[in-house]
Amino acid sequence: MKEENSTRELMKTHRSIRKFTDQDIPEEMIRELVECARWAPTSHNVQAYSVISVRNKDTKKKLEELCGNQRYVSQCPVFFVFVLDFYRHWVISEAHQSDFEMDEVENLIIGAVDTALFAENFYLAANSFGLGGVMIGGIRNRAKEVASLLNLPKWTLPIMGMCLGYPDQDPWQKPRIGTAAIYHEESYQTDQLEEILKEYEERSSDYYTRRTSGQRTDGWGKQMVHYLSKKRRVDLTQFIKEQGFSLK
């Protein structure tokens, strides 16, 4: 069961890469990444996703600003935007003069899950070529402006960005929460959760303390408390509705 497997080993070595060499990514390789990604699981074969590659320096610089001034957005060789995409489905429905029922939250969830699975396949395939990168949730910070910049039609939403290139750094791998906290047999278990979270807080605090030479000492729990204490992307819901998803 523990015999070596390159796919599993690749999945367990994930690290976010934010610094890249000047080496370009061949278009042929990108096409192969898309080919691998499009075979990801998809609910009811809906395939509600698209991806946009951005090489143009001016466009990447603008996206850097829209993503919260994350400089690696403009510095990576190619930046990708993964898009929840029901536009194709609208075109088909119009051609068949059929109702297009997008009022319920369910379709939004389907599109977001489809897009995330597509993006993960894309990323793992990129890793297999020796590429590295980082997911950019900041693409939703100013989603309406991103949509305008990339000419996104109605029934689409930018879900995540991805910086991709050949790594020019070898960062530490962040510790993840223990399996016991996320894997449950038969039903959700809470008996040991406090103990597990305490252990993870100590372990993650030690990681940040050593990585930053003591400049940062907060663990995962304190970080999550801070993160979840603030409202985020308050304009996003209105933009989602403007794109046709009424969220009834």
Side-chain angles (χ1 to χ4, degrees), residues 91-161:
V91 170
I92 294 170
S93 295
E94 286 289 291
H96 286 80
Q97 299 181 337
S98 175
D99 291 338
F100 191 57
E101 293 291 344
M102 297 297 292
D103 290 343
E104 305 300 329
V105 173
E106 171 66 3
N107 282 322
L108 187 68
I109 294 175
I110 286 173
V113 171
D114 269 16
T115 305
L117 291 171
F118 177 88
E120 179 67 3
N121 258 28
F122 189 98
Y123 185 77
L124 287 173
N127 287 168
S128 75
F129 280 110
L131 298 171
V134 60
M135 301 287 195
I136 304 295
I139 201 72
R140 303 186 301 276
N141 285 357
R142 295 159 67 179
K144 187 171 184 176
E145 292 172 77
V146 170
S148 177
L149 180 67
L150 300 179
N151 197 32
L152 298 185
K154 196 173 182 179
W155 310 115
T156 66
L157 298 168
I159 296 296
M160 69 190 75

Side-chain angles (χ1 to χ4, degrees), residues 65-68 70 137-144 233 235-236:
E65 175 190 338
L66 296 177
C67 290
Q70 300 184 64
I139 201 72
R140 303 186 301 276
N141 285 357
R142 295 159 67 179
K144 187 171 184 176
R233 298 173 183 139
D235 297 328
L236 184 58

Side-chain angles (χ1 to χ4, degrees), residues 19-207:
K19 187 177 180 182
F20 307 93
T21 69
D22 293 332
Q23 185 177 352
D24 197 11
I25 305 175
E27 183 63 28
E28 181 180 359
M29 185 181 293
I30 293 175
R31 297 279 177 173
E32 177 63 12
L33 301 185
V34 176
E35 180 64 17
C36 292
R38 74 187 186 91
W39 291 102
T42 169
S43 179
H44 205 70
N45 203 31
V46 172
Q47 304 176 74
Y49 45 69
S50 288
V51 59
I52 299 172
S53 65
V54 181
R55 295 180 183 270
N56 182 275
K57 292 182 179 180
D58 292 337
T59 306
K60 286 194 296 180
K61 191 64 180 175
K62 181 61 178 178
L63 285 168
E64 173 189 326
E65 175 190 338
L66 296 177
C67 290
N69 298 311
Q70 300 184 64
R71 63 183 184 279
Y72 24 91
V73 170
S74 63
Q75 293 174 353
C76 65
V78 189
F79 184 70
F80 297 90
V81 180
F82 293 86
V83 179
L84 178 158
D85 187 355
F86 277 100
Y87 180 73
R88 294 187 294 268
H89 307 73
W90 176 78
V91 170
I92 294 170
S93 295
E94 286 289 291
H96 286 80
Q97 299 181 337
S98 175
D99 291 338
F100 191 57
E101 293 291 344
M102 297 297 292
D103 290 343
E104 305 300 329
V105 173
E106 171 66 3
N107 282 322
L108 187 68
I109 294 175
I110 286 173
V113 171
D114 269 16
T115 305
L117 291 171
F118 177 88
E120 179 67 3
N121 258 28
F122 189 98
Y123 185 77
L124 287 173
N127 287 168
S128 75
F129 280 110
L131 298 171
V134 60
M135 301 287 195
I136 304 295
I139 201 72
R140 303 186 301 276
N141 285 357
R142 295 159 67 179
K144 187 171 184 176
E145 292 172 77
V146 170
S148 177
L149 180 67
L150 300 179
N151 197 32
L152 298 185
K154 196 173 182 179
W155 310 115
T156 66
L157 298 168
I159 296 296
M160 69 190 75
M162 183 190 296
C163 301
L164 206 62
Y166 289 92
D168 192 26
Q169 63 176 171
D170 187 21
W172 295 16
Q173 188 179 41
K174 291 180 182 178
R176 294 295 174 94
I177 197 166
T179 302
I182 59 177
Y183 176 62
H184 308 268
E185 296 183 7
E186 306 301 338
S187 65
Y188 199 102
Q189 307 295 320
T190 62
D191 293 349
Q192 304 299 317
L193 184 58
E194 288 188 13
E195 182 179 336
I196 294 168
L197 292 176
K198 180 180 178 182
E199 183 277 331
Y200 184 47
E201 185 71 5
E202 293 172 353
R203 186 157 46 91
S204 55
S205 175
D206 176 68
Y207 161 81

